[in-house]
Amino acid sequence: MRLSVAWIMAQLHNVDLRLLRVFKAIVEYGGLSAAQVELNVGQSTVSNHLAALESRLGYRLCLRGRRGFRLTEKGEIVYGMVRRLFMAMDEFESETGALRGELVGRLRFGILDAITTDPKSRLHDAFQRFNRRKNTVHVELSAHSPLDLQRMVMDGRLDAALGTFPLNVAGLRFTPLYDETQRFYCAPGHPFFDRDDGDIAIEEMREMRIIARAHWTGAHMRKIPVDTPAATAFDEEAQLILIRSGSYLGYLPEHYAAPWVARGELRAVLVERLTYASTFYVITRQARKETVVLGAFLSDLKEAYAVERRKTGQAVAWKGI
């Protein structure tokens, strides 16, 4: 049975909203220790708040011990209601502010790491446009993996996100923005570094240490004739460190690798065969009504990329923003 925000408010009318915020942070950061850092309070305070909430509700919300932190069945239900409650509060604040002709509330936006060096990324321009509007919006900008970005938009922890997504989660709206060029790199000390592409056979990859990205699908690995990668990287920084060791081959965004290429510390190999483009999308949740704040920011994001597309002569086609 779906429980409404009105229902939880009726049940929790005597509960301080701070207790609910602490509980939400505990769940979303994976335990009391992580939540205390985010909330900037001591662990004993976090524990006391959780105990007070459980006492007022009359049942356990989570279990913690040798098996680690986990929600009880009732805790899962309450967490879902708490998320909907705070989303409704955000919408209320946003829409009442709009009646005064002002943008108020929060904008929670997620990105992938290592996008700022891409000249085609216009996110900074979007924020500049947004801040020309009359607003007192608190922006929360955070970087996550592609799968985490999708999960966080789906469960309401993020309002929207920008990234490339090898696997598309149902229930999200994907609007393409631009393409990022990916090339396959090695560093001095690697057997391929001083060889021309014409002298490198693709079959030689089988003898090399290849880095896989944590979010890759089987289709990505099939670009390279290697059954088992020698390493897995969870972000571009980790990928770059391994490549620069001279022991590994791996993909990097062309713009991200450019400073090291210019200094002769990296080179792309088998450029014609292994280069590919990753499409960046802005994602939003299909079923959720956009707040006034989110709608304004997406409009500014649309215009920022439309300007960039006009500069490069690309057609501007927008759906879902």
Side-chain angles (χ1 to χ4, degrees), residues 15 27 34 44 53 68 110 115 132 143 164 170 183-184 193 201 206 215 219 222-224 230 234 260 268 270 281:
V15 177
V27 177
S44 61
L53 179 59
I115 67 171
R132 290 177 189 151
T164 179
R183 298 195 189 280
F184 202 59
F193 189 78
R206 298 186 185 279
H215 59 269
R222 285 192 290 274
K223 294 178 183 293
I224 311 160
F234 288 81
W260 285 273
L270 296 176
Y281 300 84

Side-chain angles (χ1 to χ4, degrees), residues 16-153:
D16 184 351
L17 283 174
R18 177 163 178 77
L19 301 184
L20 298 179
R21 288 194 176 94
V22 169
F23 172 60
K24 184 171 180 286
I26 290 170
V27 177
E28 293 179 355
Y29 290 92
L32 278 67
S33 297
Q36 72 167 345
V37 176
E38 174 64 20
L39 296 169
N40 195 28
V41 296
Q43 186 166 339
S44 61
T45 300
V46 175
S47 181
N48 290 339
H49 278 63
L50 177 60
L53 179 59
E54 291 177 327
S55 176
R56 295 194 190 193
L57 290 172
Y59 44 78
R60 296 288 297 275
L61 294 172
C62 59
L63 302 174
R64 51 255 192 221
R66 292 182 179 179
R67 296 178 60 185
F69 171 84
R70 60 191 176 92
L71 289 174
T72 63
E73 184 177 351
K74 291 180 180 178
E76 292 276 6
I77 295 171
V78 170
Y79 172 61
M81 292 190 291
V82 167
R83 281 196 293 106
R84 295 200 298 276
L85 172 64
F86 282 104
M87 287 169 65
M89 290 173 62
D90 286 345
E91 290 171 8
F92 176 83
E93 184 180 18
S94 175
E95 298 201 12
T96 53
L99 294 175
R100 300 191 303 272
E102 182 180 3
L103 294 174
V104 299
R106 288 190 301 166
L107 174 65
R108 298 163 300 183
F109 197 82
I111 58 172
L112 291 183
D113 71 313
I115 67 171
T116 56
T117 54
D118 191 339
K120 290 183 287 186
S121 175
R122 308 308 303 169
L123 190 56
H124 61 285
D125 185 28
F127 278 110
Q128 184 181 68
R129 292 169 184 273
F130 183 73
N131 285 314
R132 290 177 189 151
R133 299 175 184 266
K134 182 181 179 182
N135 83 79
T136 55
V137 174
H138 180 83
V139 175
E140 297 177 10
L141 184 63
S142 54
H144 307 276
S145 71
L147 184 57
D148 283 343
L149 287 174
Q150 292 182 99
R151 287 172 175 163
M152 293 171 78
V153 171

Side-chain angles (χ1 to χ4, degrees), residues 33 115 158 160 212 217 232 307:
S33 297
I115 67 171
L158 292 174
T217 63
T232 301
V307 169

